[in-house]
Amino acid sequence: MFSILLLSWLIILVQRKAVAYTSQRLYGVTSRITTHRLFGDPSKEPGGDPSKVPQAQRPVEEYISLIESPFFAWAQSPKQLLQNSSILYAITFVLVSYPISNVSFPLDSQILPRLISANFGTLAFLLAFLLRIFSGWSYVATRLQSSQIDFEETGWFDGGLEEKGPMTKSRDTLMYENDIKPPLETIRKAVSISALLFLLSAGALKGSLSSNKRFPQYSPVILENLQGNDKLAQAAQMNALQRGNRPTYCDSRYFKALANGGQGCD
């Protein structure tokens, strides 16, 4: 019941964010294109020859394409990036990471490693997601800061380099300082924080696994010495009490699979 309510709340929140994001993105793209046109035609310099760089491979056009792409515009606002990343974290945790972790740690006594494992997997996905956004902004930043434009006419075999003219350099430098540098710093900080949380979660997961080791009830050495070792028998009894009425093979994914999918484990 709680999962259904949480999922419904997340869906409503995502819908509201999607409407606000779409409106903001359309306004932002329109203003950027207007500014781009006010600077003049970037395909040629005054008194110079027309540019050979294809339209889609010009840095300004690549910037416009970037902010029109899904998710990349999140970096333009630190507040929006935090909110959307939190929503993405919650959705991934509830719908993907926790169900997988619940299968890996099925016992009631393993709630802590289950939560830590789900958090670890969610942070790994979030970190990879933010790195992808960072790589897109970093690529456009490099293209705008460069004094040359490398391009491909029809493929990798017929590419070339073209020097930027004074007007193009000035425009690209101004666009980098105003439109690229702030989002790039925002996403860089987000990646650094996510990486730190990921490392902390990895350490917590390692600690929880070492402190929640399962009783090796199927070990040949354990089975051989179980009858003549009272302490070992007591440990096996405590493990059975913690397990409740569940069969012993429920603690092992391998033997659970052999038992026709784990009958009596649910």
Side-chain angles (χ1 to χ4, degrees):
M1 183 64 181
F2 174 75
S3 299
I4 296 176
L5 292 176
L6 180 60
L7 180 59
S8 301
W9 176 79
L10 289 174
I11 292 175
I12 295 174
L13 189 59
V14 168
Q15 289 177 344
R16 291 180 178 177
K17 290 293 181 183
V19 173
Y21 165 71
T22 302
S23 301
Q24 182 179 359
R25 193 185 70 175
L26 289 175
Y27 171 78
V29 171
T30 303
S31 63
R32 295 302 187 280
I33 294 176
T34 302
T35 303
H36 167 48
R37 288 173 177 171
L38 288 176
F39 271 102
D41 185 4
S43 64
K44 61 181 179 180
E45 293 285 330
D49 296 328
S51 174
K52 297 180 181 179
V53 181
Q55 182 78 16
Q57 297 182 39
R58 295 169 188 164
V60 176
E61 297 296 334
E62 290 174 328
Y63 164 70
I64 295 175
S65 177
L66 179 73
I67 60 177
E68 285 181 324
S69 302
F71 311 116
F72 286 96
W74 290 6
Q76 292 179 309
S77 170
K79 182 179 179 181
Q80 184 185 39
L81 181 62
L82 176 61
Q83 291 178 346
N84 293 338
S85 298
S86 300
I87 295 173
L88 180 62
Y89 174 91
I91 293 176
T92 306
F93 185 93
V94 173
L95 300 183
V96 180
S97 300
Y98 189 80
I100 296 176
S101 181
N102 190 43
V103 175
S104 301
F105 302 95
L107 300 181
D108 295 336
S109 60
Q110 296 175 323
I111 182 64
L112 183 59
R114 186 188 309 162
L115 292 174
I116 295 177
S117 176
N119 178 69
F120 174 78
T122 306
L123 286 176
F125 170 75
L126 184 62
L127 179 59
F129 181 83
L130 293 176
L131 282 172
R132 177 64 187 91
I133 297 179
F134 174 78
S135 67
W137 282 95
S138 179
Y139 170 77
V140 174
T142 302
R143 297 277 286 175
L144 288 171
Q145 288 180 293
S146 176
S147 60
Q148 295 178 324
I149 303 177
D150 57 292
F151 63 94
E152 298 174 355
E153 295 184 10
T154 58
W156 61 269
F157 49 84
D158 61 352
L161 289 174
E162 183 174 284
E163 289 287 339
K164 292 181 180 178
M167 187 182 72
T168 303
K169 287 182 181 179
S170 300
R171 183 205 58 221
D172 288 357
T173 300
L174 182 61
M175 181 165 286
Y176 168 77
E177 292 293 334
N178 294 335
D179 297 323
I180 302 295
K181 190 175 181 179
L184 192 60
E185 290 298 323
T186 299
I187 193 64
R188 181 181 286 113
K189 291 179 182 178
V191 168
S192 300
I193 294 174
S194 299
L196 177 61
L197 293 176
F198 174 76
L199 293 176
L200 293 176
S201 181
L205 179 61
K206 182 179 180 180
S208 66
L209 292 178
S210 62
S211 61
N212 288 274
K213 293 182 178 180
R214 297 181 181 181
F215 183 79
Q217 54 192 1
Y218 294 107
S219 172
V221 178
I222 295 295
L223 295 176
E224 182 179 354
N225 295 278
L226 187 60
Q227 294 181 349
N229 192 322
D230 293 338
K231 291 184 179 180
L232 193 58
Q234 185 178 4
Q237 183 180 13
M238 292 297 297
N239 179 68
L241 292 175
Q242 292 179 357
R243 189 172 58 249
N245 295 325
R246 293 158 55 90
T248 57
Y249 55 72
C250 292
D251 293 346
S252 172
R253 298 179 66 178
Y254 172 74
F255 289 103
K256 185 177 178 180
L258 292 180
N260 295 326
Q263 296 180 359
C265 294
D266 297 329

